[in-house]
Amino acid sequence: IPLVNKAIYKFDCNDGEVNCVKYHKNGKFFATGGGDRKIKLWEFKDAKCDLVGSLIGSNASIVSIDIDNEVKY
C-alpha cells in the first residue's frame, strides 16, 4: 500500500465526529467509527467510497477498530 500524504477523496462517513479509521492491507476496504456509535465498512473503487455495511448497537462512541488482515478479499 503506498503512503498517502494528502487527501485524495473527501466525503461524510459518520454522523458527527470520526474517531478512528482502519484500512485493510489490500487498500480496497476500510472501516470508520465515530461518535454516532456506528462502525461503517467502506469499499474504495472507481475513485469513490461506497458503503458496504454498518454495525450498530454500541452504547458509546467508537474509539478503536481492528481488521483481520488474514481474511482474503
Side-chain angles (χ1 to χ4, degrees):
I1 298 174
L3 179 63
V4 177
N5 59 8
K6 65 179 182 173
I8 56 173
Y9 186 76
K10 182 179 175 181
F11 69 105
D12 293 325
C13 55
N14 289 70
D15 299 327
E17 72 273 2
V18 175
N19 297 328
C20 50
V21 177
K22 182 71 175 191
Y23 291 89
H24 188 273
K25 69 179 181 181
N26 69 10
K28 183 178 177 182
F29 294 100
F30 65 97
T32 60
D36 60 0
R37 304 180 326 213
K38 297 176 184 173
I39 296 174
K40 294 185 177 183
L41 180 62
W42 302 88
E43 181 178 9
F44 186 74
K45 69 177 185 180
D46 300 327
K48 65 179 185 155
C49 299
D50 293 324
L51 181 64
V52 176
S54 298
L55 297 171
I56 60 172
S58 176
N59 58 5
S61 293
I62 306 298
V63 295
S64 179
I65 300 172
D66 201 3
I67 293 178
D68 183 356
N69 280 312
E70 298 303 315
V71 177
K72 306 289 187 235
Y73 295 100

